Amino acid sequence: MGRFRKVCLWLHRELGFLAVGLTLVYAISGLALNHVHHWDANYSRTRVVERMAAPGTGETALIEPLVLAHLRGRDPELAVKSTWRSGENFLTVFLDGGSKIDVNLTTGEYQREAVAKRPWLFQMNFMGLNTGKRVWTGVADVYAGVVIVLAVTGIFLVRGRKGLIGRGGVLMLIGILLPVVYALVAAGN
Amino acid sequence: MRKGIVLAACLALLVPALSLAGETVYGKGVSSRETTLPVSELIAHPDAHVGQTVRVQGLVVGVCEHRGCWINIASEKEGETVRVKVEDGVIVFPANILGSTVIAEGVWTANKLDLETTKKYCGAQAEKKGEAFNPEHVTECMTLYQLTGTGAVALETAVAPKPAEGEKRTLEGADRPQHKG
């Protein structure tokens, strides 16, 4: 085995182990975010409709304490962040964490929309989209460099009988042509 | 081995440090907190501010569920809102920004829609509200105004304490508020 291939093997092995965790994070996050128009990849939402005695459409300052008293009667742990009178007939109660309750003041019907972060997936998407910026930008840059090294060193690891003229070369060519053709056909316009 | 433990401990300390509570800055933040334009002024005279960099302050009453790429900020006037649209992926507003008070900065932008797009937009709005919609009734193009946001600051919002037992009131009974009119 030539010295160059030995170096490639060493690099591929060491960096390969290092990249396992981040590769899984980016791959899973990529899958989830690819279908963001089908589902909310970060949060799960549950909606429950309930009813209270109609509070009426009077002054917000009078109605709000009554609505909150009713809601707290149903849920003593209710953490109210703020309220908003969105119209004559509606009052929205915003809760800590992104949940909210939309109250129809005329009918007394209210919908509680509870929002919860999808465990693990939220954090993976946070990293995948680099939402936090700052330190993660550096981590992501280094990871991108590692993936480039893995891709390049991978070409020279096991040469096979025919080297890059054989099946390996054909597969590599397909892998290169796929994005190039797509870029020319779809993204070129 | 010892180095690995030290590294793991540093990482463990770093993660909570990145998520400290308090004000949260999005994108470039805001250049000043002193002068903000009332949302109602933007809504009342939208064309007067097109192209200007403005700052608005208000309650976040809507947030993009899928990408966190916009928020709606409530006006001081009942029911009025303005949209702050940010570049996808550059700024991501989280779901828990809902109900927070923010100061947002950006360029006030007018997007004139053609008739076809106006019909589509009105149709989507009607569908959202569960109202009947006839595209033939739409005969004029409309202009959508929004703040093309470059940054925002979510101010710390105190969560309301629960009322004391004696303060609780109910909807049934004599203290029920009177209807308007």
Side-chain angles (χ1 to χ4, degrees), chain B residues 60-82:
Chain B
V60 178
V61 295
V63 58
C64 172
E65 289 185 7
H66 293 292
R67 293 177 189 275
C69 63
W70 55 258
I71 50 173
N72 285 341
I73 297 181
S75 160
E76 325 77 70
K77 288 187 180 172
E78 189 177 290
E80 286 183 349
T81 61
V82 289

Side-chain angles (χ1 to χ4, degrees), chain A residues 36 40 43 45 52-57 65-66 69 72 76-77 79-88 94 97-98 133, chain B residues 59 61 65-67 74 78-79 89-90 94-96 98-100 157 159-163 169 171-172 176-180:
Chain A
V36 77
D40 188 336
Y43 302 94
R45 293 166 198 273
M52 65 175 81
T57 55
L66 302 178
R72 286 198 173 109
E77 300 301 313
V80 177
K81 203 171 174 184
S82 54
T83 62
W84 179 50
R85 186 79 178 262
S86 57
E88 190 181 9
F94 296 109
K133 307 277 189 288
Chain B
L59 193 68
V61 295
E65 289 185 7
H66 293 292
R67 293 177 189 275
E78 189 177 290
V90 177
N96 65 6
L98 207 59
S100 302
T157 308
V159 174
K162 292 162 204 157
R169 291 185 286 175
L171 292 171
E172 285 72 83
R176 184 171 166 170
Q178 298 297 304
H179 289 233
K180 276 182 189 170

Side-chain angles (χ1 to χ4, degrees), chain B residues 131-146:
Chain B
E131 295 170 353
F133 175 70
N134 184 353
E136 299 305 316
H137 291 168
V138 180
T139 54
E140 284 182 20
C141 299
M142 65 186 292
T143 304
L144 288 182
Y145 298 91
Q146 66 181 18

Side-chain angles (χ1 to χ4, degrees), chain A residues 84-164:
Chain A
W84 179 50
R85 186 79 178 262
S86 57
E88 190 181 9
N89 297 320
F90 297 96
L91 181 78
T92 302
V93 179
F94 296 109
L95 307 177
D96 204 24
S99 300
K100 64 172 182 170
I101 301 170
D102 290 313
V103 184
N104 185 320
L105 301 172
T106 312
T107 65
E109 194 174 88
Y110 62 94
Q111 177 179 266
R112 180 168 183 161
E113 183 185 270
V115 177
K117 286 177 184 171
R118 293 189 189 279
W120 293 104
L121 204 49
F122 178 88
Q123 287 80 1
M124 286 191 195
N125 293 335
F126 189 85
M127 290 182 271
L129 287 171
N130 191 16
T131 307
K133 307 277 189 288
R134 295 177 189 155
V135 70
W136 198 254
T137 305
V139 174
D141 285 349
V142 170
Y143 173 69
V146 166
V147 172
I148 291 169
V149 173
L150 285 175
V152 174
T153 55
I155 299 170
F156 304 102
L157 277 189
V158 183
R159 199 164 52 186
R161 274 187 301 142
K162 295 178 182 173
L164 287 176

Side-chain angles (χ1 to χ4, degrees), chain A residues 4-73:
Chain A
F4 175 68
R5 280 180 60 208
K6 272 188 182 171
V7 171
C8 284
L9 183 64
W10 179 80
L11 274 174
H12 201 84
R13 180 185 153 83
E14 301 296 315
L15 295 178
F17 284 129
L18 189 69
V20 166
L22 282 172
T23 303
L24 287 174
V25 165
Y26 278 100
I28 293 169
S29 164
L31 272 173
L33 295 170
N34 241 1
H35 300 276
V36 77
H37 53 295
H38 291 132
W39 76 317
D40 188 336
N42 287 314
Y43 302 94
S44 61
R45 293 166 198 273
T46 51
R47 294 178 177 91
V48 179
V49 176
E50 291 182 83
R51 190 177 284 271
M52 65 175 81
T57 55
E59 291 296 318
T60 306
L62 292 171
I63 290 169
E64 185 195 272
L66 302 178
V67 170
L68 294 182
H70 171 87
L71 295 173
R72 286 198 173 109

